[in-house]
């Protein structure tokens, strides 16, 4: 994969590059060049298969990381294209023109993270959460436990133990 | 609401006259459930309960991961048919609703709809810990914790997941309950209808169906 | 007593016996299948329990008058088929309302119930009921062709449209049965019989688990009970028809039970061996070789 990365570096600004395995590389590109870069990978380099499009919430840095995992079925290797976008008013260009199924991923990201993909068909339709009015639940500042306790009538009497100390007490009560 | 097909609209009748259509009110019955009395003849009621307990038709609706535990019951190893348990494809003909595992809010909406379409007396078996107190999804943003706040439950089967044997034991327990004449979930639902409905509406934010949609 | 009153009472007795026989066979045949699969299977009286259960449901939903009448039509189709056939040959008690030309009426009653269901299901407001009914109707229409041709071939052979006469002509040993004297018509009819019984490979139209869009989807409680009663009576009535036309009829009830059970087993055996046809396949299949056999049967009986 080394020569591929070198070839890519000549025409694109690669911000960061990690070779994790011989068949898996992580490449970070800027938000502006990302869609261009991905379509180059798809059309020229043979990365025809979009494995997954997902996001990571780096709340400390104020950023979302979008992860486009692409697979090359002929070379049998994967490239993970990472794109960092701002957390406030997060928007990203849609890639549904490259892969039709990307619209579903983008719909999910819109609902779960609040990342908007203008132009993606049906991106505003509810995906799993019907009529959700709160913060998008996959954002890390959303307190899911508090929300659940307020909403879903928790049954009283539920106990929680730390597994390590609990098993220690059970197995070696005399120590 | 916000769904286009459910909004009031004016359509032209075949005669060319404009008529107003309000889908929720016009397409669905608005009657609320009523308490259905037991038969006044005790021995007849007993006989009917015996028949009901021997012919349990299960709605083929797997709501969560527990649906996989229902399938082995049809195989030669467990063979639930010998206990009079059969699977039906439509809620209209079913007696037993097996809530198999966790319920997300989206599924709960469908569950309530299916439950209300079933004909009384109807029974609910709650399978797995998730239906009792949320199980391992107790702090999730999207799964309910206590099923009995939304529909009346006859039998709980604890475990994560219970084996098919446990499910069979649950069916046996349900039979006992029916034979003793305690399987009155439908009447319980009708009596406490407002409480159940308030709980359901608290959870389901986009309520776009009639209150009791037969 | 008035003779017509006696006749009605005897007909009701026939109906009662046939109903119980049908309900038992509904339990026994799956039981046999289960035992072959090394299972216990349902109790042989399960069909009774289901019907009692359905009638003791406390609530029921209606969608209008036709919705009620649909199952009634269906049941009328089953009972009517039975009522206009001689059940036991040579017995005054169980002649029912057989008359000259009853063969044509019986053919008509085959279709009657399905049409009733079409009306009822359409009223139910179920969006897919029209698909379910049209599938059922197209398959029924398809197997009616070889069936009717076979029956007409028998009518030509015996020069009568009276079932009693056809049965009478077959008496005197199994070499006189139509299945021996007119094998082509028998072949066409027995193939159509597979479709008429609604078992595999032709049960996609009513397979409950596979296609939850068939006509009875909306029916519940007592209305479903009526349909279940019909599902007990209708197959037995058809079995008696085929027994009368092809296998020399029956002179006593035990003979009737034995013969109909064996004829039923023919559809069961075919059902367990062959996988299901889709409706479009089964229609094409019925309009192929079985139809040709039927036409051939007519030609052979007429000209040879």
């Amino acid at each position: 994969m080394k020569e591929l990365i070198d070839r890519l570096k000549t025409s694109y600004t690669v911000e960061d590059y990690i070779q994790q395995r011989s068949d898996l590389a992580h490449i970070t590109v800027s938000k502006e060049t990302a869609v261009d870069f991905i379509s180059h990978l798809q059309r020229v380099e043979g990365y025809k298969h979009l494995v997954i499009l997902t996001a990571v919430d780096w709340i400390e840095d104020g950023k979302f990381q979008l992860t486009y995992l692409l697979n090359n079925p002929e070379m049998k290797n994967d490239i993970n294209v990472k794109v960092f976008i701002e957390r406030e008013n997060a928007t990203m260009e849609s890639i549904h023109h490259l892969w039709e199924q990307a619209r579903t991923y983008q719909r999910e990201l819109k609902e779960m993270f609040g990342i908007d993909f203008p132009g993606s068909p049906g991106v505003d339709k509810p995906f799993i959460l019907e009529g959700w009015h709160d913060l998008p639940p996959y954002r890390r500042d959303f307190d899911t436990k508090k929300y659940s306790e307020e909403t879903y009538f928790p049954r009283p009497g539920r106990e929680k133990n730390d597994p390590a100390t609990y098993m220690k007490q059970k197995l070696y009560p005399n120590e | 609401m916000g769904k286009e097909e459910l909004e009031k609209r004016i359509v032209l009748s075949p005669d060319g006259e404009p008529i107003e259509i309000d889908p929720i009110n016009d397409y669905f019955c608005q009657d609320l459930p009523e308490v259905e009395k037991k038969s006044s003849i005790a021995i007849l009621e007993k006989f009917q309960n015996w028949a009901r307990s021997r012919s349990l038709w299960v709605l083929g609706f797997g709501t969560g991961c527990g649906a996989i535990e229902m399938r082995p019951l049809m195989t030669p190893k467990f063979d639930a048919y010998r206990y009079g348990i059969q699977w039906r494809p439509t809620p209209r003909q079913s007696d037993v609703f097996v809530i198999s595992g966790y319920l997300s809010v989206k599924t709960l909406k469908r569950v309530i709809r299916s439950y209300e379409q079933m004909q009384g007396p109807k029974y609910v078996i709650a399978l797995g810990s998730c239906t009792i107190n949320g199980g391992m999804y107790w702090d999730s943003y999207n799964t309910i914790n206590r099923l009995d706040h939304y529909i009346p439950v006859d039998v709980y089967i604890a475990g994560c997941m219970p084996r098919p044997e446990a499910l069979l034991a649950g069916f046996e327990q349900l039979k006992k309950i029916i034979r003793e004449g305690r399987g009155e979930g439908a009447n319980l639902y009708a009596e406490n209808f407002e409480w159940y409905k308030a709980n359901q509406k608290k959870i389901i934010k986009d309520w776009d169906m009639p209150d009791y949609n037969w | 007593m008035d003779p017509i009153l006696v006749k009605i009472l005897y007909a009701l007795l026939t109906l009662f016996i046939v109903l119980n026989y049908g309900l038992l066979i509904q339990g026994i045949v799956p039981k046999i299948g289960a035992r072959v699969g090394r299972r216990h299977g349902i109790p042989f009286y399960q069909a009774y329990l289901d019907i009692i259960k359905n009638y003791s449901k406390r609530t029921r939903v209606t969608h209008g008058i036709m919705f009620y009448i649909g199952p009634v039509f269906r049941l009328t189709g089953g009972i009517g088929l039975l009522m206009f056939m001689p059940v036991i040959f040579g017995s005054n008690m169980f002649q029912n309302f057989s008359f000259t030309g009853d063969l044509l009426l019986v053919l008509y009653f085959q279709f009657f119930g399905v049409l009733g269901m079409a009306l009822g299901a359409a009223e139910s407001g179920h969006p897919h009921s029209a698909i379910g009914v049209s599938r059922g109707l197209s398959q029924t229409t398809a197997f009616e062709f070889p069936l009717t041709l076979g029956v007409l071939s028998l009518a030509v052979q015996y020069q009568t449209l009276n079932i009693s006469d056809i049965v009478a002509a077959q008496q005197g040993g199994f070499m006189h049965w139509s299945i021996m004297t007119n094998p082509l018509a028998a072949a066409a009819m027995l193939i159509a019989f597979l479709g008429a019984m609604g078992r595999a490979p032709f049960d996609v139209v009513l397979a409950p688990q596979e296609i939850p869009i068939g006509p009875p989807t909306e029916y519940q409680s007592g209305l479903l009970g009526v349909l279940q009663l019909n599902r007990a009576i209708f197959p037995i009535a058809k079995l008696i028809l085929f027994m009368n036309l092809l296998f020399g009829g029956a002179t006593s009830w035990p003979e009737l039970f034995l013969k109909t059970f064996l004829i039923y087993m023919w559809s069961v055996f075919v059902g367990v061996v062959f996988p299901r046809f889709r409706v479009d396949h089964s229609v094409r299949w019925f309009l192929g070789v079985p139809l040709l056999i039927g036409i051939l049967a007519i030609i052979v009986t007429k000209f040879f």
Side-chain angles (χ1 to χ4, degrees):
Chain A
M1 288 183 85
K2 192 71 187 143
E3 58 271 30
L4 168 71
I5 306 296
D6 290 338
R7 201 160 62 234
L8 288 172
K9 273 183 181 170
T10 57
S11 41
Y12 291 94
T13 336
V14 174
E15 291 178 356
D16 189 21
Y17 160 64
I18 305 165
Q19 185 81 37
Q20 187 182 338
R21 291 196 310 257
S22 62
D23 59 348
L24 174 65
H26 301 274
I27 299 174
T28 309
V29 293
S30 69
K31 180 183 169 184
E32 286 72 31
T33 55
V35 173
D36 216 20
F37 183 69
I38 290 166
S39 66
H40 175 78
L41 282 177
Q42 187 206 28
R43 299 211 168 126
V44 182
E45 305 292 349
Y47 286 83
K48 287 178 188 154
H49 174 43
L50 174 68
V51 180
I52 195 171
L53 162 57
T54 183
V56 183
D57 185 1
W58 298 105
I59 192 169
E60 295 84 0
D61 305 342
K63 293 213 187 271
F64 281 126
Q65 173 202 326
L66 285 174
T67 298
Y68 299 84
L69 188 59
L70 310 178
N71 175 266
N72 187 338
E74 275 157 28
M75 307 292 288
K76 295 196 170 35
N77 57 27
D78 299 306
I79 283 186
N80 178 8
V81 182
K82 291 190 203 169
V83 184
F84 285 94
I85 58 175
E86 288 302 316
R87 210 163 169 280
E88 292 298 316
N89 297 326
T91 48
M92 181 65 198
E93 278 178 68
S94 168
I95 57 158
H96 71 272
H97 57 284
L98 301 178
W99 286 280
E100 187 71 8
Q101 73 271 28
R103 63 166 76 176
T104 310
Y105 288 122
Q106 290 170 359
R107 217 171 121 197
E108 186 190 12
L109 289 177
K110 166 90 201 228
E111 184 170 276
M112 292 303 190
F113 286 96
I115 303 171
D116 199 6
F117 293 88
S120 177
V123 73
D124 288 324
K125 270 199 259 169
F127 183 56
I128 296 171
L129 314 167
E130 291 178 332
W132 184 265
H133 298 305
D134 217 309
L135 214 59
Y138 277 10
R139 291 196 177 205
R140 276 171 59 206
D141 46 358
F142 173 78
D143 190 347
T144 168
K145 186 178 169 211
K146 182 159 153 278
Y147 180 82
S148 171
E149 276 169 2
E150 281 169 3
T151 318
Y152 296 125
F153 311 103
R155 190 181 285 272
R158 189 186 173 99
E159 286 178 21
K160 198 175 153 196
N161 295 307
D162 177 40
T165 44
Y166 180 75
M167 287 314 289
K168 213 170 170 183
Q169 277 173 1
K170 273 268 175 200
L171 294 172
Y172 314 106
N174 299 325
E175 280 176 29
Chain B
M1 246 174 239
K3 293 213 170 143
E4 227 172 83
E5 68 270 22
L6 292 176
E7 275 165 12
K8 275 192 191 178
R9 56 179 179 262
I10 308 261
V11 294
L12 281 182
S13 69
D15 306 334
E17 288 199 12
I19 44 171
E20 197 186 57
I21 297 279
D22 181 9
I24 289 278
N25 284 317
D26 292 354
Y27 293 169
F28 295 95
C29 176
Q30 294 294 320
D31 284 351
L32 297 182
E34 288 167 8
V35 179
E36 300 284 334
K37 286 203 182 64
K38 288 184 185 186
S39 168
S40 52
I41 309 160
I43 190 153
L44 179 66
E45 178 68 22
K46 223 169 173 151
F47 173 68
Q48 286 181 340
N49 278 338
W50 171 78
R52 281 169 193 149
S53 77
R54 293 299 300 272
S55 160
L56 295 173
W57 288 2
V58 180
L59 176 58
F61 179 9
T63 59
C65 47
I68 204 82
E69 304 293 331
M70 291 208 278
R71 304 296 169 262
L73 294 186
M74 304 179 200
T75 60
K77 187 169 181 188
F78 297 104
D79 189 24
Y81 292 104
R82 66 191 143 142
Y83 301 119
I85 299 164
Q86 295 172 47
W87 276 261
R88 301 301 294 188
T90 147
R92 292 281 192 217
Q93 301 170 1
S94 317
D95 315 304
V96 186
F97 199 159
V98 179
I99 306 290
S100 46
Y102 63 84
L103 275 181
S104 68
V105 176
K106 191 173 178 177
T107 321
L108 179 71
K109 192 169 160 186
R110 277 78 185 165
V111 164
I112 290 166
R113 216 179 150 143
S114 308
Y115 180 75
E116 286 174 354
Q117 285 185 20
M118 285 161 64
Q119 301 302 307
K122 48 194 170 185
Y123 320 102
V124 174
I125 291 182
L127 181 68
S129 309
C130 296
T131 50
I132 300 173
N133 60 5
M136 62 188 285
Y137 301 109
W138 65 286
D139 59 351
S140 164
Y141 57 90
N142 201 24
T143 54
I144 62 158
N145 276 352
R146 301 180 61 174
L147 179 63
D148 53 3
H149 271 63
Y150 312 103
I151 49 175
V153 179
D154 290 285
V155 177
Y156 281 110
I157 304 170
C160 182
M161 280 309 296
R163 295 266 309 145
E165 291 94 331
L167 190 51
L168 273 185
F171 275 116
E172 288 301 310
Q173 182 68 26
L174 178 66
K175 283 182 179 182
K176 220 167 97 191
I177 289 174
I178 297 171
R179 275 200 294 272
E180 287 169 6
R182 292 192 283 126
E184 297 292 332
N187 285 345
L188 199 69
Y189 191 71
E191 278 163 16
N192 306 318
F193 186 68
E194 280 167 15
W195 183 74
Y196 281 118
K197 226 12 102 175
N199 288 343
Q200 291 165 4
K201 284 190 176 169
K202 186 186 169 204
I203 301 285
I204 300 169
K205 302 278 175 28
D206 64 332
W207 188 273
D208 55 0
M209 46 191 195
D211 272 358
Y212 194 76
N213 39 345
W214 284 350
Chain C
M1 236 192 317
D2 201 351
I4 187 70
L5 210 61
V6 177
K7 219 173 162 77
I8 288 174
L9 284 177
Y10 279 142
L12 287 178
L13 179 65
T14 316
L15 186 63
F16 179 74
I17 297 174
V18 166
L19 172 65
N20 282 295
Y21 178 52
L23 288 173
L24 282 177
I25 231 176
Q26 267 189 359
I28 287 170
V29 171
K31 185 94 182 163
I32 293 172
R35 282 300 161 100
V36 171
R38 298 237 178 146
R39 291 188 288 124
H40 279 278
I42 60 173
F44 69 91
Y45 49 88
Q46 183 71 43
Y48 290 93
L49 291 173
D50 288 346
I51 285 186
I52 295 170
K53 193 277 305 279
N54 270 329
Y55 277 114
S56 51
K57 282 270 185 194
R58 293 197 192 121
T59 55
R60 54 186 57 80
V61 175
T62 173
H63 294 278
I65 294 171
M66 269 327 289
F67 188 72
Y68 276 122
I69 293 181
V72 175
F73 264 40
R74 194 104 171 91
L75 188 63
T76 313
I79 295 178
L81 183 58
L82 184 68
M83 286 293 102
F84 291 105
M85 263 190 316
V87 176
I88 303 287
F89 174 70
S91 149
N92 280 330
M93 281 172 75
F94 302 111
Q95 280 301 322
N96 289 344
F97 302 97
S98 172
F99 63 96
T100 319
D102 52 3
L103 197 54
L104 290 181
L105 192 70
V106 159
L107 278 181
Y108 165 71
F109 265 118
Q110 292 261 356
F111 221 85
F112 190 71
V114 194
L115 286 173
M117 278 308 288
L119 294 170
E123 182 96 357
S124 78
H126 191 275
H128 300 309
S129 68
I131 303 174
V133 167
S134 67
R135 288 151 74 102
L137 274 175
S138 47
Q139 184 170 308
T140 312
T141 317
F143 73 69
E144 283 275 307
F145 278 109
L147 177 68
T148 312
L149 287 172
V151 169
L152 289 181
S153 166
L154 289 183
V156 173
Q157 182 192 354
Y158 297 114
Q159 293 295 317
T160 175
L161 282 173
N162 188 343
I163 298 178
S164 296
D165 291 351
I166 293 179
V167 178
Q170 296 178 59
Q171 297 305 310
F174 71 91
M175 285 310 288
H176 295 257
W177 292 358
S178 314
I179 193 167
M180 306 305 271
T181 55
N182 193 350
L184 277 174
M189 283 173 71
L190 283 176
I191 290 170
F193 170 75
L194 296 176
M197 291 310 284
R199 294 188 69 88
F202 303 107
D203 61 346
V204 165
V205 284
L206 37 84
Q209 304 286 2
E210 302 223 340
I211 300 144
I213 56 169
T217 305
E218 278 287 314
Y219 285 100
Q220 15 70 28
S221 309
L223 296 170
L224 186 64
V226 174
L227 289 179
Q228 282 180 311
L229 283 181
N230 176 62
R231 283 194 75 175
I233 296 170
F234 200 33
I236 305 301
K238 277 189 255 187
L239 284 171
I240 293 174
L241 173 68
F242 278 85
M243 180 192 71
N244 277 339
L245 291 182
L246 295 178
F247 296 94
T251 47
S252 65
W253 281 106
E255 192 186 348
L256 180 134
F257 292 149
L258 183 71
K259 276 185 178 172
T260 48
F261 187 76
L262 291 177
I263 302 171
Y264 194 71
M265 279 296 133
W266 151 244
S267 76
V268 172
F269 285 149
V270 173
V272 293
V273 174
F274 289 100
R276 282 174 177 153
F277 271 125
R278 291 169 48 155
V279 173
D280 48 342
H281 292 165
S282 71
V283 168
R284 230 171 288 155
W285 188 80
F286 275 124
L287 296 185
V289 177
L291 186 64
L292 288 179
I293 296 176
I295 295 170
L296 211 60
I298 293 261
I299 294 171
V300 168
T301 9
K302 183 70 191 159
F303 297 108
F304 295 98

